[in-house]
Amino acid sequence: MAASIIEMIVFPGFVFLGVLGMIFEYVDRILYARLQNRKGPPWFQPFADFIKLAAKEDIVPREADSVMFKVTPLLAATATVVASFYIPLWGPAALHSFAGDAVVVIYLLTIPTMSFFLAGWYSTSLYSTVGAVRTITQLFAYEVPLFLVILAPGILAKTWSLSEMAAFYSAHPLLCLSNVVGFVVAIVALQGKLERIPFDIPEAETEIVAGTFTEYSGRLLVLFRLAISIETVVGAALISAVFLPFGYGLGAAWGFVVFIVKIAFVMVILAVFKTSVARLRIEQMVNFCWKYVAPAAVLQLFISLILSAFVG
Amino acid sequence: MGLIKSLVTWSRVKSPWVIHFNTGACNACDIEIVASITPKFDLERFGVQLKGTPRHADVLLCSGPVTRQIESRLKRVYEQMSNPKFVVAIGTCACSGGVFNGCYNVKGGIDTVIPVSAYIPGCPVRPEAIIDGVVKLLGSLKNPAAAPKLPITIDPAGVLEKGA
């Protein structure tokens, strides 16, 4: 009981993932700044933002549904932490695993998006509502390709458990090469899930103020920011567990280093992607996802199906 | 308790999020505010971020004299910000009404409507003066005894001393 509480709150739960999330938020911001030829924020910036917001006044608008307004940030932060328990981090075995946990992880990573929608909707402000509707519209565009490409490697490994998938690909490293299309699709979909440029349509600050988070302030906003930071790390960990299953046999210490390097690699790709493109309009985003990303995901599915006839 | 308090003050100094509100300016000061957040000056070095919504912001950058039309809106934007919050009047018009003082549709400077923490005169203000003003305002938080008393006045061109 005590061990599982520590597991949930300290390591590798809220505190560890929160700190890691903020470190990678810094990595993202400094890369973004350097790529734009700026100096960028100091290393403690995400921590200063966190403390400052946590020490500010919370305002709950009179028009908003006060229960939903306060519950949704907590829901978002919790779901991302729970998702991390089923993803292999630095060993081939996740903290907990069962047959079919890949599906559960994808659903758990949908909960933050749903809570952004509910938060925006129950704020009842005009900008939040527009942001909420955009969030859900965007969800329909990237969720299907993401689902397909996370499950496609599972077809080849004949399992839908992330830990068994990681173990299978560690044993057959060459088969990873068949998942390159899926890796690209997953990066694009993750960018959409994290609502980063070019898919930051739900919180486009030049159009709709701050989208779903328009009415949030203080501690409630900090929970949302924490949820997004943790979701970034968990999403990158999910991608590296499925598509980059290297270095699992090296023991805990080296395994941890390899884990950090893999996440950093995914973060660098995400940051370069973010810097080199501009924001799309919502209908361009939906068109792009259904015309190019979804067919690419189906292609990955076919590659895995055909290969699975020959392998094992 | 003292440690937490100083940590919170440190975080407030290191992470000022600003919102820009035009209370009736001729747009010159607005362009200078926008210029000061471009990559050339890179205010993210100091943790400054421009926010779209008053709920997220700590510092309200006001430019221009308060017109009678904008007065109620300015109050509302101020009330929407969460505590602790600061107001910076940017430009001569925002400080005192400037050349628009006494005009039939103008109320006066920002301080006739809401409390102001720092005055930065200039027509228009240079980005360096804006950065200087915000940094001095935050410095006064860090060390209330040594810093100048609020409100702070930035006067790089010596406009106020010459008695213009």
Side-chain angles (χ1 to χ4, degrees):
Chain A
M1 185 64 193
S4 60
I5 284 176
I6 288 175
E7 210 168 68
M8 259 191 300
I9 292 177
V10 183
F11 187 86
F14 253 109
V15 174
F16 171 71
L17 285 173
V19 170
L20 201 64
M22 281 193 267
I23 290 171
F24 278 107
E25 187 191 331
Y26 163 71
V27 171
D28 178 47
R29 279 170 72 171
I30 195 85
L31 277 173
Y32 191 47
R34 293 307 301 156
L35 288 167
Q36 286 179 338
N37 228 351
R38 291 188 285 131
K39 194 165 169 291
W43 65 270
F44 52 73
Q45 196 55 54
F47 298 95
D49 289 350
F50 180 88
I51 297 167
K52 180 207 71 178
L53 281 175
K56 276 193 83 151
E57 178 194 9
D58 290 327
I59 299 177
V60 180
R62 202 192 310 142
E63 295 288 316
D65 183 316
S66 83
V67 175
M68 288 306 280
F69 195 82
K70 286 174 190 162
V71 165
T72 44
L74 211 58
L75 199 65
T78 320
T80 48
V81 172
V82 174
S84 78
F85 292 159
Y86 295 100
I87 298 173
L89 300 178
W90 43 82
L95 212 56
H96 303 284
S97 79
F98 57 89
D101 57 11
V103 182
V104 174
V105 165
I106 295 173
Y107 273 120
L108 282 171
L109 286 180
T110 312
I111 289 179
T113 317
M114 289 307 293
S115 66
F116 297 164
F117 165 72
L118 288 174
W121 190 261
Y122 283 106
S123 300
T124 61
S125 132
L126 181 64
Y127 297 117
S128 327
T129 312
V130 174
V133 172
R134 287 183 183 191
T135 307
I136 214 78
T137 313
Q138 188 167 307
L139 175 78
F140 289 125
Y142 66 73
E143 194 68 7
V144 173
L146 183 66
F147 217 123
L148 286 178
V149 296
I150 296 293
L151 295 185
I155 292 174
L156 197 50
K158 299 201 167 49
T159 171
W160 275 359
S161 154
L162 288 171
S163 306
E164 287 172 26
M165 253 147 88
F168 175 82
Y169 282 104
S170 300
H172 307 84
L174 270 182
L175 284 179
C176 289
L177 293 176
S178 68
N179 295 333
V180 172
V181 181
F183 179 69
V184 175
V185 170
I187 291 280
V188 173
L190 185 65
Q191 198 84 337
K193 191 176 250 320
L194 299 171
E195 297 179 358
R196 291 151 60 91
I197 301 167
F199 304 135
D200 64 334
I201 309 154
E203 48 195 276
E205 77 272 3
T206 43
E207 300 163 28
I208 49 170
V209 182
T212 44
F213 307 132
T214 303
E215 296 295 333
Y216 276 86
S217 58
R219 276 183 291 273
L220 298 173
L221 178 63
V222 99
L223 272 175
F224 268 134
R225 286 174 60 86
L226 192 67
I228 293 173
S229 295
I230 295 178
E231 202 187 356
T232 313
V233 169
V234 172
L238 177 66
I239 286 186
S240 54
V242 175
F243 298 103
L244 310 164
F246 310 116
Y248 282 131
L250 299 171
W254 280 106
F256 186 75
V257 173
V258 172
F259 166 71
I260 295 290
V261 168
K262 281 195 290 191
I263 291 191
F265 174 66
V266 174
M267 285 303 297
V268 169
I269 296 178
L270 288 179
V272 172
F273 187 19
K274 177 181 166 184
T275 319
S276 48
V277 288
R279 187 192 305 134
L280 297 172
R281 287 198 307 273
I282 185 77
E283 99 280 4
Q284 288 172 328
M285 191 271 174
V286 173
N287 267 345
F288 172 71
C289 280
W290 283 111
K291 267 189 189 159
Y292 303 106
V293 183
V298 173
L299 175 70
Q300 172 63 50
L301 203 62
F302 274 119
I303 294 173
S304 297
L305 275 173
I306 291 166
L307 269 180
S308 70
F310 298 104
V311 174
Chain B
M1 210 54 214
L3 182 72
I4 291 176
K5 211 171 178 182
S6 59
L7 194 66
V8 167
T9 311
W10 168 82
S11 71
R12 270 176 201 152
V13 173
K14 292 297 177 189
S15 159
W17 290 356
V18 302
I19 179 169
H20 167 209
F21 186 59
N22 182 335
T23 55
C26 66
N27 248 329
C29 291
D30 301 300
I31 288 168
E32 298 301 322
I33 292 171
V34 173
S36 66
I37 54 164
T38 50
K40 181 173 179 180
F41 295 98
D42 186 25
L43 280 190
E44 206 185 359
R45 286 179 294 159
F46 307 120
V48 176
Q49 280 188 321
L50 187 69
K51 289 288 165 184
T53 159
R55 299 266 194 233
H56 298 188
D58 308 299
V59 181
L60 179 64
L61 303 177
C62 293
S63 56
V66 183
T67 62
R68 289 191 194 281
Q69 280 259 337
I70 211 93
E71 188 191 345
S72 59
R73 276 106 172 170
L74 176 61
K75 270 187 198 154
R76 247 172 87 181
V77 167
Y78 182 70
E79 280 159 8
Q80 279 169 355
M81 292 170 71
S82 65
N83 277 320
K85 54 192 169 188
F86 307 97
V87 179
V88 178
I90 288 180
T92 308
C93 303
C95 295
S96 65
V99 288
F100 300 105
N101 215 352
C103 205
Y104 71 96
N105 59 346
V106 165
K107 188 96 194 302
I110 303 291
D111 53 7
T112 56
V113 183
I114 52 174
V116 174
S117 309
Y119 296 88
I120 309 174
C123 188
V125 191
R126 295 183 65 87
E128 290 91 336
I130 298 175
I131 296 167
D132 192 25
V134 173
V135 167
K136 279 202 177 130
L137 169 66
L138 296 166
S140 74
L141 286 179
K142 196 161 50 183
N143 194 354
K149 278 211 178 80
L150 292 178
I152 290 159
T153 305
I154 304 298
D155 187 20
V159 181
L160 299 182
E161 280 168 24
K162 281 178 212 153

